[in-house]
Amino acid sequence: MTEFFTDVTERIPFEGPDSDNPLAFHWYDADRVVAGRRMEDHLRFAVCYWHSFNWDGFDIFGAGTLDRPWHPTFAPTADPLDAAKAKMNAAFEFFAKLGAPFYCFHDRDIAPDGGSFKESAARLDEMVDLAAEHQQRTGVQLLWGTANLFSHPRYQAGAATNPDPEVFAYAAAQVAHCLDATHRLGGHNYVLWGGREGYETLLNTDLRRELDQLARFLSMVVEHKQRIGFAGAILIEPKPFEPTKHQYDYDVAAVYAFLQRYDLVDEIKVNIEVNHATLSGHDFAHEIAAAVDAGIFGSVDANAGDDRLGWDLDRFPMSVEQMSLGMLEIVGAGGFTTGGLNFDSKLRRQSIDRNDLFHGHIGGMDTMARALLVAAAILEGGELAANRAARYTGWDGELGRSILDGTIDLAALHDRTVDRGEPVRVSGGQERLENIVARYVARVR
Ligand code: XLS
Ligand code: NI
Ligand code: NI
């Protein structure tokens, strides 16, 4: 097999924070035990096929720039399956050299559209056989598979939420096939991102019908999962907008309300993407905490946005502090089970060297590894937990308990308050707490 990433001949080593080698890990030390688990098992890193191998660097103003010789932009006359195989060789070479334990794909990332459903399905089957061999050879596992229900023109008005049941049926067939493929490859999860499950205007949209359709679609996915014996989790990926103006899966809270309404809450969890959280006006940590609280936390797409650009930029994560606050919620809740950290992250369009894909992932993995160390140290130090608990001690006293257990009512609280002075105010201490976090960020090794 001819190699693609020829500058990197060995697996990327761990060399520690003081190393100047740009093609080494400085923080991610797979075997290091942190809070009772190996780093690799905590972080469960996945490389995303889509952005890293399927995207040629095009944007709405210009053509592809990246060095992706299998892409139709650069190989317009190549046989699509040969190109897909070359892409897969390069992808698994990369996963293995990086030392990522997992990868993720859309059906169309690994197998090009064949013009008809039948031909597309046959191509997917062929590529899945090949992926199984690559997985076997490299030991890399599938974190999740997903069907692309947003790129093809047939999905212009959505897949499950399309006004035409023929499109719903097509999408259902595509998911059935992709879920089978994911099952065959031992996938740990199956993701549904509702890229076009939303709307542009109420002038042509029946919101209630579309929500009912989406719920029926998801119930069918759950039924199918059970029928084929797929043991992984089904995950919805919330995103507030882009490509549609109003997306139904706006954020974790909206997804949770939807799952409750349609009685799906025990069957489906969420895949939280950091920059989708930002776009919905939340912190990453908030979305994690909301999902943990609802019992629907599944997995994470670990990317980041840009402070000044309000779209899904999908940068590799570089902010240790932002990620530490997210990891604090994840580790505090007991860590990942089926999920992991998928780099749904893109290079910049000008990052055209083959090694840039390593640099992006090394930076992202080091950032998340350092965030894990910070989170574990904060949890072990216990100051934040003690502070938080201290704020609520009143609720363990007589008044707090009698409010919560219902022995005191509104009128009784009225009478009680008439005779009492003002409650004593105390500081929230946010700056002091932020300084504690900053201290951990600075000190962990
Ligand atoms: C797009 C989404 C997509 C999903 C998988 O914004 O993040 O990459 O993760 O379809
Ligand atoms: Ni994503
Ligand atoms: Ni995204």
Side-chain angles (χ1 to χ4, degrees), residues 16 90 358:
F358 281 101

Side-chain angles (χ1 to χ4, degrees), residues 41 59 86 137 167 182 185 221 235 244-245 268 283 305 369 416:
D41 302 331
D59 68 11
R137 179 179 56 81
V167 179
T182 302
L185 291 172
V221 174
L235 307 176
T244 63
K245 182 175 174 188
I268 297 180
D283 288 340
R416 181 183 185 277

Side-chain angles (χ1 to χ4, degrees), residues 112-376:
D113 193 286
S116 67
F117 183 83
K118 242 190 184 162
E119 184 53 30
S120 301
R123 285 181 171 186
L124 184 63
D125 291 342
E126 186 173 344
M127 292 309 296
V128 164
D129 288 344
L130 202 59
E133 285 171 27
H134 280 294
Q135 287 185 206
Q136 183 74 29
R137 179 179 56 81
T138 58
V140 176
Q141 299 177 51
L142 180 61
L143 186 66
W144 48 261
T146 186
N148 180 332
L149 304 179
F150 44 88
S151 291
H152 194 280
R154 86 176 67 83
Y155 297 125
Q156 62 175 26
T161 63
N162 202 288
D164 180 357
E166 291 292 347
V167 179
F168 182 110
Y170 200 107
Q174 203 180 322
V175 169
H177 207 85
C178 189
L179 186 49
D180 291 349
T182 302
H183 183 37
R184 224 177 336 140
L185 291 172
H188 292 235
N189 305 271
Y190 184 83
V191 164
L192 293 126
W193 169 56
R196 302 208 186 261
E197 312 294 24
Y199 67 92
E200 304 300 331
T201 173
L202 286 173
L203 296 179
N204 64 13
T205 300
D206 185 334
L207 195 136
R208 179 57 196 262
R209 266 182 191 280
E210 295 200 355
L211 289 171
D212 286 351
Q213 288 170 215
L214 184 56
R216 179 66 193 123
F217 193 92
L218 294 169
S219 303
M220 290 166 90
V221 174
V222 171
E223 284 159 23
H224 190 75
K225 160 193 157 155
Q226 284 156 356
R227 179 166 340 126
I228 65 175
F230 176 67
I234 304 286
L235 307 176
I236 290 183
E237 184 173 321
K239 185 174 182 179
F241 47 78
E242 196 200 332
T244 63
K245 182 175 174 188
H246 301 272
Q247 298 208 174
Y248 295 124
D249 303 331
Y250 190 95
D251 61 359
V252 169
V255 168
Y256 183 49
F258 174 87
L259 295 177
Q260 281 180 307
R261 177 179 183 178
Y262 291 101
D263 203 18
L264 286 163
V265 93
D266 296 332
E267 308 294 345
I268 297 180
K269 294 186 162 69
V270 284
N271 182 40
I272 295 170
E273 181 162 316
V274 181
N275 194 43
H276 297 181
T278 311
L279 292 173
S280 67
H282 297 303
D283 288 340
F284 170 44
H286 166 84
E287 287 292 82
I288 303 284
V292 167
D293 169 63
I296 58 170
F297 175 62
S299 199
V300 166
D301 277 2
N303 63 5
D306 183 284
D307 289 347
R308 294 193 310 106
L309 301 177
W311 64 84
D312 203 8
L313 212 87
D314 298 320
R315 278 199 297 111
F316 281 88
M318 295 304 287
S319 162
V320 174
E321 188 182 327
Q322 178 191 28
M323 295 300 152
S324 296
L325 297 180
M327 286 308 294
L328 187 57
E329 299 305 319
I330 295 172
V331 180
F336 289 114
T337 52
T338 61
L341 295 170
N342 169 44
F343 288 111
D344 200 355
S345 313
K346 292 198 191 94
L347 293 174
R348 275 58 167 232
R349 191 166 173 270
Q350 293 181 53
S351 301
I352 60 172
D353 290 345
R354 293 183 186 183
N355 287 354
D356 287 330
L357 202 56
F358 281 101
H359 295 308
H361 283 85
I362 288 170
M365 289 162 82
D366 274 340
T367 299
M368 298 312 299
R370 212 174 147 195
L372 167 66
L373 292 174
V374 173

